[in-house]
Amino acid sequence: MSTTDNAVSEIAIITVNHKTAPEVSDGTISPAVLQEWEDQCRAFFSKRKIPEADEVREIVTSNCFKKDRIKHWIKVNRDKLLQPDYKFDTLLASLRKLFLVADWDQDILREVINAK
């Protein structure tokens, strides 16, 4: 197996079945993976007619993250995450801050600026 093959196999993937919240496999969670998961979650919420107040509850109770660090963070913060005023956008901001590489947003900005 080449280094490239190994790197690809370690990237998290998203599984969608439309009956439960989208799942993210164990592996590296990139900004693109998290964005795709967000898009799939929003489609799931819409299709299943899940009220905004229940979106985070749906994520927390569905065990949709397979990465141990994220599962542990959700378990430790479960009470806070299940508060009625804790919104999906707040969850996304927390996930980006805690589980993406530092300065991921600056890396993307540099790529866009340097693109020719």
Side-chain angles (χ1 to χ4, degrees), residues 60-89:
V60 169
T61 60
S62 70
N63 192 30
C64 60
F65 287 97
K66 303 308 175 196
K67 190 171 192 73
D68 287 339
R69 283 186 60 220
I70 298 177
K71 289 188 333 186
H72 178 73
W73 178 79
I74 289 173
K75 181 179 179 180
V76 168
N77 292 284
R78 183 179 176 88
D79 290 341
K80 177 176 89 171
L81 296 172
L82 294 177
Q83 293 297 314
D85 61 335
Y86 197 90
K87 303 296 182 206
F88 185 63
D89 287 334

Side-chain angles (χ1 to χ4, degrees), residues 5-111:
D5 292 337
N6 192 24
V8 170
S9 67
E10 293 176 7
I11 295 173
I13 58 168
I14 299 166
T15 305
V16 179
N17 70 19
H18 303 291
K19 293 183 182 185
T20 60
E23 293 182 354
V24 179
S25 70
D26 193 12
T28 302
I29 298 178
S30 68
V33 167
L34 197 53
Q35 181 63 55
E36 178 63 21
W37 179 76
E38 175 187 353
D39 294 344
Q40 292 298 331
C41 283
R42 291 191 191 280
F44 170 75
F45 298 150
S46 176
K47 183 176 178 102
R48 302 284 296 197
K49 296 180 177 35
I50 295 172
E52 182 180 356
D54 295 335
E55 291 173 349
V56 174
R57 176 175 297 281
E58 189 70 30
I59 298 302
V60 169
T61 60
S62 70
N63 192 30
C64 60
F65 287 97
K66 303 308 175 196
K67 190 171 192 73
D68 287 339
R69 283 186 60 220
I70 298 177
K71 289 188 333 186
H72 178 73
W73 178 79
I74 289 173
K75 181 179 179 180
V76 168
N77 292 284
R78 183 179 176 88
D79 290 341
K80 177 176 89 171
L81 296 172
L82 294 177
Q83 293 297 314
D85 61 335
Y86 197 90
K87 303 296 182 206
F88 185 63
D89 287 334
T90 307
L91 174 65
L92 289 168
S94 295
L95 291 171
R96 286 184 176 105
K97 179 179 178 184
L98 296 169
F99 300 107
L100 292 180
V101 296
D103 297 328
W104 65 270
D105 52 343
Q106 295 302 311
D107 292 342
I108 292 173
L109 182 59
R110 269 190 297 281
E111 285 179 29

